[in-house]
Short mmCIF file of all heavy atoms in Angstrom, two decimals:
data_model
loop_
_atom_site.label_atom_id
_atom_site.label_comp_id
_atom_site.label_asym_id
_atom_site.label_seq_id
_atom_site.Cartn_x
_atom_site.Cartn_y
_atom_site.Cartn_z
N PHE A 31 -8.27 7.97 2.09
CA PHE A 31 -8.81 7.87 3.45
C PHE A 31 -9.41 9.20 3.87
O PHE A 31 -9.18 10.22 3.22
CB PHE A 31 -7.70 7.45 4.42
CG PHE A 31 -6.42 8.21 4.21
CD1 PHE A 31 -6.23 9.46 4.77
CD2 PHE A 31 -5.42 7.69 3.40
CE1 PHE A 31 -5.07 10.17 4.57
CE2 PHE A 31 -4.24 8.40 3.18
CZ PHE A 31 -4.06 9.64 3.76
N ARG A 32 -10.17 9.18 4.95
CA ARG A 32 -10.75 10.45 5.42
C ARG A 32 -9.63 11.45 5.65
O ARG A 32 -8.55 11.10 6.10
CB ARG A 32 -11.61 10.24 6.66
CG ARG A 32 -10.87 9.81 7.90
CD ARG A 32 -11.80 9.32 8.97
NE ARG A 32 -12.22 7.97 8.62
CZ ARG A 32 -13.34 7.39 9.02
NH1 ARG A 32 -14.15 8.02 9.83
NH2 ARG A 32 -13.65 6.17 8.65
N ALA A 44 -13.30 15.04 8.82
CA ALA A 44 -13.42 13.76 9.54
C ALA A 44 -12.07 13.25 10.02
O ALA A 44 -12.00 12.35 10.87
CB ALA A 44 -14.10 12.72 8.66
N ALA A 45 -10.98 13.82 9.52
CA ALA A 45 -9.64 13.39 9.91
C ALA A 45 -9.15 14.08 11.19
O ALA A 45 -8.17 13.63 11.79
CB ALA A 45 -8.65 13.68 8.79
N GLY A 47 -8.11 14.86 14.58
CA GLY A 47 -7.91 14.03 15.77
C GLY A 47 -7.89 12.53 15.49
O GLY A 47 -7.94 11.74 16.42
N GLU A 48 -7.82 12.13 14.23
CA GLU A 48 -7.93 10.71 13.88
C GLU A 48 -6.70 10.15 13.17
O GLU A 48 -6.79 9.15 12.47
CB GLU A 48 -9.16 10.50 12.99
CG GLU A 48 -10.47 10.80 13.66
CD GLU A 48 -10.78 9.84 14.80
OE1 GLU A 48 -10.23 8.71 14.83
OE2 GLU A 48 -11.58 10.22 15.67
N PHE A 49 -5.54 10.77 13.37
CA PHE A 49 -4.34 10.30 12.66
C PHE A 49 -4.04 8.83 12.92
O PHE A 49 -3.68 8.11 12.01
CB PHE A 49 -3.13 11.15 13.06
CG PHE A 49 -2.86 12.30 12.12
CD1 PHE A 49 -3.89 12.93 11.45
CD2 PHE A 49 -1.58 12.73 11.90
CE1 PHE A 49 -3.65 13.98 10.58
CE2 PHE A 49 -1.31 13.79 11.03
CZ PHE A 49 -2.34 14.41 10.37
N ALA A 50 -4.14 8.36 14.13
CA ALA A 50 -3.87 6.94 14.43
C ALA A 50 -5.17 6.21 14.78
O ALA A 50 -5.14 5.11 15.31
CB ALA A 50 -2.88 6.81 15.58
N GLY A 51 -6.30 6.81 14.43
CA GLY A 51 -7.60 6.22 14.73
C GLY A 51 -8.34 5.85 13.47
O GLY A 51 -7.99 4.89 12.78
N ALA A 52 -9.35 6.63 13.14
CA ALA A 52 -10.21 6.32 12.00
C ALA A 52 -9.44 6.34 10.68
O ALA A 52 -9.77 5.57 9.77
CB ALA A 52 -11.38 7.29 11.95
N MET A 53 -8.43 7.19 10.56
CA MET A 53 -7.65 7.21 9.31
C MET A 53 -6.90 5.89 9.14
O MET A 53 -6.83 5.34 8.04
CB MET A 53 -6.69 8.40 9.31
CG MET A 53 -7.42 9.74 9.17
SD MET A 53 -6.37 11.17 9.47
CE MET A 53 -5.40 11.24 7.98
N HIS A 54 -6.37 5.36 10.22
CA HIS A 54 -5.71 4.05 10.19
C HIS A 54 -6.72 2.96 9.86
O HIS A 54 -6.45 2.06 9.06
CB HIS A 54 -5.03 3.78 11.55
CG HIS A 54 -4.45 2.42 11.68
ND1 HIS A 54 -3.36 2.01 10.94
CD2 HIS A 54 -4.80 1.36 12.45
CE1 HIS A 54 -3.06 0.76 11.26
NE2 HIS A 54 -3.92 0.35 12.17
N ASP A 55 -7.91 3.06 10.45
CA ASP A 55 -8.97 2.08 10.16
C ASP A 55 -9.33 2.07 8.67
O ASP A 55 -9.58 1.01 8.10
CB ASP A 55 -10.22 2.36 10.99
CG ASP A 55 -10.01 2.16 12.48
OD1 ASP A 55 -9.03 1.48 12.86
OD2 ASP A 55 -10.82 2.69 13.25
N ASP A 56 -9.34 3.24 8.05
CA ASP A 56 -9.63 3.31 6.61
C ASP A 56 -8.61 2.50 5.82
O ASP A 56 -8.96 1.79 4.87
CB ASP A 56 -9.60 4.76 6.12
CG ASP A 56 -10.75 5.61 6.66
OD1 ASP A 56 -11.74 5.04 7.16
OD2 ASP A 56 -10.63 6.85 6.58
N LEU A 57 -7.34 2.61 6.20
CA LEU A 57 -6.29 1.88 5.51
C LEU A 57 -6.42 0.37 5.73
O LEU A 57 -6.28 -0.42 4.80
CB LEU A 57 -4.91 2.38 5.95
CG LEU A 57 -4.64 3.87 5.68
CD1 LEU A 57 -3.32 4.28 6.29
CD2 LEU A 57 -4.68 4.17 4.20
N ASP A 59 -9.16 -1.25 6.47
CA ASP A 59 -10.34 -1.69 5.72
C ASP A 59 -9.99 -1.93 4.25
O ASP A 59 -10.47 -2.89 3.64
CB ASP A 59 -11.47 -0.66 5.82
CG ASP A 59 -12.10 -0.59 7.20
OD1 ASP A 59 -11.88 -1.51 8.02
OD2 ASP A 59 -12.82 0.40 7.46
N TYR A 82 2.54 12.35 5.87
CA TYR A 82 1.57 11.57 6.64
C TYR A 82 1.66 10.09 6.28
O TYR A 82 1.49 9.23 7.14
CB TYR A 82 0.13 12.05 6.43
CG TYR A 82 -0.85 11.08 7.07
CD1 TYR A 82 -1.02 11.08 8.45
CD2 TYR A 82 -1.49 10.12 6.31
CE1 TYR A 82 -1.84 10.14 9.05
CE2 TYR A 82 -2.32 9.17 6.90
CZ TYR A 82 -2.49 9.19 8.27
OH TYR A 82 -3.29 8.25 8.86
#
Side-chain angles (χ1 to χ4, degrees):
F31 45 83
R32 67 194 77 205
E48 296 294 338
F49 266 32
M53 290 169 75
H54 174 67
D55 294 342
D56 292 343
L57 300 174
D59 289 345
Y82 171 76

